[in-house]
Amino acid sequence: MTKQLFQGNQAITMAAEVAGLKFFAGYPITPASEIIHELVNKKHIKVLQMEDEIASINAIIGASLAGLKAMTATSGPGFSLMQESIGLAHMMEVPLVIVNVQRVGPSTGMPTLPAQGDVIQCIHGSHGDYFPIVFYPNSVSELYKYTIMAFNAAEESLSPVILLSDGFISHLYETIIPDRNFDIKNRTRPPLGAGNRHFTGLSHEDSVPKTSDVDNYRRLITRLHEKQQLTAQRYNYYEYLECSKDTDTLLISYGALSRIAYYFKNDFALYRPIRLFPIVEEIKIIASRYKRILIMEMNTGQYAHEIERILHREVEFIPILGGCIDLNEIKQKLYEQRY
Amino acid sequence: MTTTTLAAPKEQSCQTLLASGHTACTGCGEALAAKLVLGAAGPNIIVTDATGCLEVFTTRFPQSSWEVPFIHSLFENSAAVASGVEVALKALGRQNEAKVIAQGGDGGTADIGLQALSGMLERGHDILYVCYDNEAYMNTGVQRSGLTPFDCMTTTSPCGELSWGNKHNKKDMPSIAAAHGIPYVATASVAFPKDIENKVKKALSITGPKYMQIHSPCPLGWRSNPQLTIKVAKLAVQTGLYPVFEMENGKVTKVRKITTPKTPVEEYLKIQGRFAHLFKSPKGKEEIQKIQEIADRNIEKYGLA
């Protein structure tokens, strides 16, 4: 197969098609709009442009329950609007893929510039406890691969899986080989349409609401948690580069920012989570080899706090804010941090 | 080709409160409409504006074109933010100091902002809501909206083997607004600047919620010649595709008559790239006929002839 030049958002749509996407609902938003522009021209995928992001996520919930593999794509503001229904999809166990091409927030922020400010929103944006699987690739070919992984993980876990991207990698053009030889997971649960079926966002057992049974609620949450952990274990994706020199520092970064981290591979050991959540357990073993953990991300420390929590130790943190990834600035910050 | 040059509105009657130097495209209808609305409303106003072209091109750092108090809300909440402003003014006993004007584009009004607008109209706030209707999401790359006309080509309603463009009819927003039982609803067009001014002044003299929708050509999204913005807008009215009228307490009280014999819709469609696909194959004739029927229905419904 030959290499072809594609934009990040384009790669997502091609991969989604390979993964079996049949229904897309979305709403225009920079920098994710190219996804709906591409999909609307594909013959075998139903595309609805909805009146807002709330409608978009709810339409894909409906379509997914009715039996189609479904996806939506948005950016921060739209992702915020979707939060209530993301909780609903977790409670009703609806397989979905939600693409969030991050831009600088909060609010309208800097719509055309990349950020990584939605990291915590992915896992705590909706109310209550839920345990989403989140992937965050860092190149066009990875966007392609992990879009397919996201669909598979969604089907296996029967839950909405989040594919994070950012304004940088989604608008990046790179050559990729659009491989179609992936093992595609298909729906195991029968679609709506036959017999008495009940789906609800209420606490339930065997789909029947049980709104004041404490023990049942505890069982339900435990089951959902275990199910997510179990599925996630099959998608233990991360990148770890040991340093050729002797170093005591592990530099953690992900997404767009991790591309610049490669520049420092001769000075630091590098770690890049691809499955952002649940946090890959291997980080504990890897981190134990290093005295210093340095995290750089395009927010004010969202993932750093999570890593601290997991490792039970202090980490150093470098925020790269405002959508600007500048090598000189990062160099200065990385080496200054030392003293 | 004859070009219609814009007869500049007599500006003695209105101030310029939307400063020049903003970054609207050449021939932008929305910029003109907003300037006329502000000018007619005068300086004692507080405006809110939903995310969209208008907000983007008027507020490029380090300048702002707004010479009145201005709140950029989100995409879906211009009417709700304005509701809060209006109630606060009342609570402070300052309602006589400023009128509140909420603004949005067609997407921010008819799609994502419809819920907030409906609430604002229902609760009876003393607010003028202005929808600048350029018939698609121009700011994010020309996607269709609820106010995109039938068979119009956009990035999310492309034309091709299986499609003539937008499959759905333009949402009848003025009637939806009027159905809330509000005192004043009006449509207008940038082709008739004096009419916009008169309607804004009249609306602001009425207490209660008011809705106004202004047809504002977008040369970029409509793929029309920027020189022809006013001509395009005028033809939309003349063909009956964009009826210009006033509704008071649910009844149509005034319409802008079209010249007879009526102008065929082809005249309007053929000067815009967004309808060019209708002229490329013989089957397009049938589609144009459907659009003509929409115009004819408008002419009959509003008594435009």
Side-chain angles (χ1 to χ4, degrees):
Chain A
M1 199 172 278
T2 51
K3 277 189 171 185
Q4 286 168 279
L5 185 69
F6 289 110
Q7 192 204 41
N9 278 339
Q10 247 180 332
I12 293 174
T13 63
M14 288 159 50
E17 206 179 2
V18 172
L21 174 72
K22 286 286 177 292
F23 180 83
F24 179 93
Y27 188 70
I29 190 162
T30 307
S33 291
E34 292 86 0
I35 295 175
I36 190 170
H37 293 174
E38 283 287 316
L39 288 172
V40 82
N41 287 305
K42 296 199 193 265
K43 245 185 196 172
H44 305 294
I45 298 172
K46 273 272 166 213
V47 176
L48 285 190
Q49 186 190 325
M50 306 301 288
E51 66 273 25
D52 58 25
E53 287 87 351
I54 301 175
S56 303
I57 177 119
N58 286 299
I60 63 168
I61 288 175
S64 180
L65 288 176
L68 297 183
K69 285 194 180 183
M71 174 173 100
T72 188
T74 187
S75 183
F79 194 57
S80 297
L81 283 179
M82 290 179 184
Q83 291 303 328
E84 187 191 11
S85 298
I86 289 177
L88 175 69
H90 275 281
M91 203 60 156
M92 296 202 303
E93 299 181 59
V94 189
L96 304 171
V97 173
I98 301 161
V99 182
N100 177 4
V101 185
Q102 298 168 94
R103 65 189 217 188
V104 180
S107 187
T108 318
M110 296 157 96
T112 55
L113 296 178
Q116 301 179 326
D118 303 354
V119 167
I120 288 300
Q121 199 187 6
C122 285
I123 55 167
H124 293 311
S126 197
H127 56 283
D129 290 302
Y130 59 107
F131 317 94
I133 298 170
V134 182
F135 295 108
Y136 193 172
N138 82 343
S139 67
V140 177
S141 64
E142 276 200 0
L143 276 175
Y144 184 88
K145 177 182 170 189
Y146 289 102
T147 300
I148 294 173
M149 294 301 143
F151 273 95
N152 281 351
E155 294 301 330
E156 283 189 56
S157 64
L158 290 180
S159 77
V161 170
I162 292 160
L163 179 75
L164 279 182
S165 174
D166 52 61
F168 184 81
I169 39 177
S170 264
H171 282 168
L172 196 66
Y173 279 85
E174 283 182 331
T175 50
I176 64 168
I177 300 171
D179 188 3
R180 302 183 75 90
N181 294 323
F182 279 93
D183 180 23
I184 303 297
K185 304 274 187 260
N186 286 315
R187 191 72 48 89
T188 43
R189 190 172 59 193
L192 289 176
N196 185 356
R197 299 282 292 282
H198 191 125
F199 288 94
T200 178
L202 293 166
S203 175
H204 56 269
E205 186 176 21
D206 296 334
S207 315
V208 181
K210 277 194 165 178
T211 53
S212 45
D213 185 335
V214 177
D215 290 338
N216 176 63
Y217 175 79
R218 289 175 182 169
R219 276 200 305 277
L220 173 69
I221 294 300
T222 310
R223 178 176 69 76
L224 292 178
H225 190 193
E226 282 171 359
K227 178 190 72 171
Q228 295 298 95
Q229 292 291 345
L230 213 66
T231 311
Q233 275 167 22
R234 281 177 234 135
Y235 297 88
N236 261 2
Y237 294 107
Y238 62 93
E239 188 183 4
Y240 170 49
L241 291 176
E242 284 185 64
C243 186
S244 51
K245 274 192 260 167
D246 202 25
T247 178
D248 63 349
T249 306
L250 179 67
L251 177 61
I252 300 180
S253 60
Y254 52 85
L257 204 54
S258 64
R259 297 173 69 97
I260 212 161
Y262 296 128
Y263 184 87
F264 305 100
K265 65 175 189 280
N266 295 327
D267 291 331
F268 303 106
L270 302 181
Y271 176 80
R272 171 170 75 97
I274 299 173
R275 195 193 77 206
L276 222 50
F277 294 107
I279 292 177
V280 178
E281 288 288 317
E282 279 83 344
I283 181 65
K284 291 183 188 166
I285 303 159
I286 295 168
S288 67
R289 298 174 201 151
Y290 297 92
K291 252 189 15 216
R292 241 177 116 219
I293 308 288
L294 199 55
I295 301 186
M296 70 178 176
E297 50 185 331
M298 298 172 77
N299 57 50
T300 52
Q302 299 189 11
Y303 205 64
H305 292 314
E306 287 300 302
I307 292 290
E308 258 180 357
R309 196 172 59 80
I310 287 274
L311 300 181
H312 303 294
R313 60 186 266 200
E314 224 171 277
V315 303
E316 288 169 48
F317 168 67
I318 298 173
I320 307 292
L321 300 178
C324 173
I325 305 175
D326 178 66
L327 180 61
N328 285 332
E329 183 200 355
I330 290 171
K331 231 190 227 169
Q332 203 187 349
K333 283 187 172 170
L334 272 178
Y335 295 116
E336 258 178 17
Q337 193 86 4
R338 181 110 247 194
Y339 306 103
Chain B
M1 196 196 290
T2 55
T3 52
T4 316
T5 46
L6 168 65
K10 295 207 170 44
E11 297 210 7
Q12 298 92 318
S13 63
C14 64
Q15 291 166 265
T16 307
L17 294 168
L18 190 75
S20 59
H22 54 64
T23 55
C25 308
T26 319
C28 173
E30 194 175 31
L32 184 55
K35 185 175 134 187
L36 290 163
V37 168
L38 285 192
N44 298 327
I45 50 172
I46 294 173
V47 296
T48 66
D49 186 22
T51 303
C53 269
L54 180 62
E55 163 264 318
V56 171
F57 73 67
T58 54
T59 57
R60 295 302 290 264
F61 184 83
Q63 292 115 357
S64 165
S65 281
W66 300 87
E67 299 190 14
V68 292
F70 173 81
I71 302 173
H72 166 214
S73 65
L74 295 171
F75 207 173
E76 68 278 21
N77 55 0
S78 182
V81 171
S83 300
V85 172
E86 187 258 358
V87 171
L89 286 180
K90 272 189 185 152
L92 294 167
R94 299 178 62 182
Q95 66 268 39
N96 295 328
E97 289 176 36
K99 299 274 187 193
V100 182
I101 297 182
Q103 306 173 104
D106 46 297
T109 300
D111 293 347
I112 194 169
L114 185 58
Q115 184 172 329
L117 173 62
S118 177
M120 182 206 107
L121 299 177
E122 180 208 330
R123 289 186 300 267
H125 295 282
D126 186 18
I127 297 171
L128 168 61
Y129 190 98
V130 182
C131 167
Y132 300 103
D133 180 10
N134 57 19
E135 305 193 319
Y137 291 88
M138 299 312 179
N139 182 37
T140 48
V142 201
Q143 294 90 359
R144 70 161 294 277
S145 80
L147 293 190
T148 301
F150 179 71
D151 272 355
C152 171
M153 180 181 66
T154 69
T155 49
T156 53
S157 62
C159 62
E161 237 176 283
L162 301 169
S163 164
W164 286 104
N166 185 30
K167 291 187 187 72
H168 313 289
N169 285 324
K170 191 180 175 82
K171 200 184 275 191
D172 188 356
M173 269 310 294
S175 297
I176 292 171
H180 288 78
I182 63 172
Y184 187 75
V185 172
T187 61
S189 163
V190 289
F192 306 102
K194 200 72 209 161
D195 185 52
I196 295 180
E197 285 176 26
N198 291 341
K199 281 174 175 162
V200 169
K201 282 181 180 155
K202 180 167 177 180
L204 289 176
S205 72
I206 299 168
T207 308
K210 286 85 59 177
Y211 178 80
M212 194 169 160
Q213 185 172 308
I214 306 174
H215 199 222
S216 319
C218 166
L220 189 74
W222 295 14
R223 305 188 192 182
S224 58
N225 184 341
Q227 285 185 338
L228 301 182
T229 293
I230 299 301
K231 183 181 176 182
V232 171
K234 209 170 250 178
L235 276 169
V237 177
Q238 289 297 354
T239 51
L241 281 172
Y242 209 93
V244 168
F245 57 87
E246 276 182 301
M247 270 167 117
E248 285 173 75
N249 299 311
K251 287 214 173 65
V252 178
T253 49
K254 213 170 165 187
V255 299
R256 175 172 284 275
K257 297 276 184 190
I258 60 170
T259 46
T260 45
K262 71 182 180 198
T263 317
V265 291
E266 280 98 329
E267 298 297 314
Y268 172 62
L269 304 177
K270 74 183 181 196
I271 53 173
Q272 300 173 63
R274 62 177 180 156
F275 293 111
H277 57 289
L278 301 178
F279 295 90
K280 283 186 182 142
S281 73
K283 267 201 149 177
K285 276 222 161 67
E286 289 170 32
E287 296 299 312
I288 293 173
Q289 187 50 38
K290 287 183 198 165
I291 297 173
Q292 183 63 55
E293 281 162 21
I294 294 171
D296 292 346
R297 275 200 296 277
N298 283 339
I299 292 170
E300 203 193 313
K301 182 177 172 189
Y302 294 100
L304 302 177

